[in-house]
Amino acid sequence: MVRLLLILNLLAVFLLFLAVVNLYFSLRKIISKVEELEAEQLKLYSKLKELKTAFEKLENSLEFLQNQVKILSTGFRRKE
């Protein structure tokens, strides 16, 4: 009876060890995926900054063109 309990105890410890090893590899896989997502997030943030800069340039160009139209329309009014 004692031998049976000892064998069952050793089997339980071995199964627990396997569960811990499985958990370790699962966590490594999750950490790897998180690192990939962080790298992708940095790329997307960089693209977002580029888009923001391009949008600001477009806004500045639009303001410049609006000012040019105002100047031209003022010049035409004076000639009339």
Side-chain angles (χ1 to χ4, degrees):
M1 184 70 180
V2 173
R3 282 187 176 175
L4 180 62
L5 287 175
L6 181 61
I7 292 171
L8 288 176
N9 195 11
L10 289 174
L11 181 61
V13 169
F14 179 71
L15 291 175
L16 183 61
F17 172 76
L18 288 178
V20 168
V21 168
N22 186 30
L23 179 63
Y24 171 78
F25 285 112
S26 296
L27 287 175
R28 289 297 312 150
K29 189 184 289 185
I30 291 169
I31 289 169
S32 174
K33 188 64 175 175
V34 167
E35 289 170 347
E36 288 176 22
L37 290 173
E38 285 176 341
E40 186 68 24
Q41 181 184 19
L42 288 174
K43 288 178 190 174
L44 290 173
Y45 183 72
S46 174
K47 295 267 186 200
L48 180 63
K49 284 174 41 177
E50 289 175 15
L51 286 171
K52 181 182 176 191
T53 303
F55 183 73
E56 288 171 351
K57 286 180 181 178
L58 283 173
E59 279 184 318
N60 292 338
S61 296
L62 179 62
E63 286 178 27
F64 174 76
L65 289 173
Q66 286 173 336
N67 290 335
Q68 292 300 314
V69 167
K70 285 178 187 177
I71 291 169
L72 288 174
S73 64
T74 304
F76 283 127
R77 285 187 202 144
R78 289 183 185 162
K79 287 183 180 178
E80 292 174 358

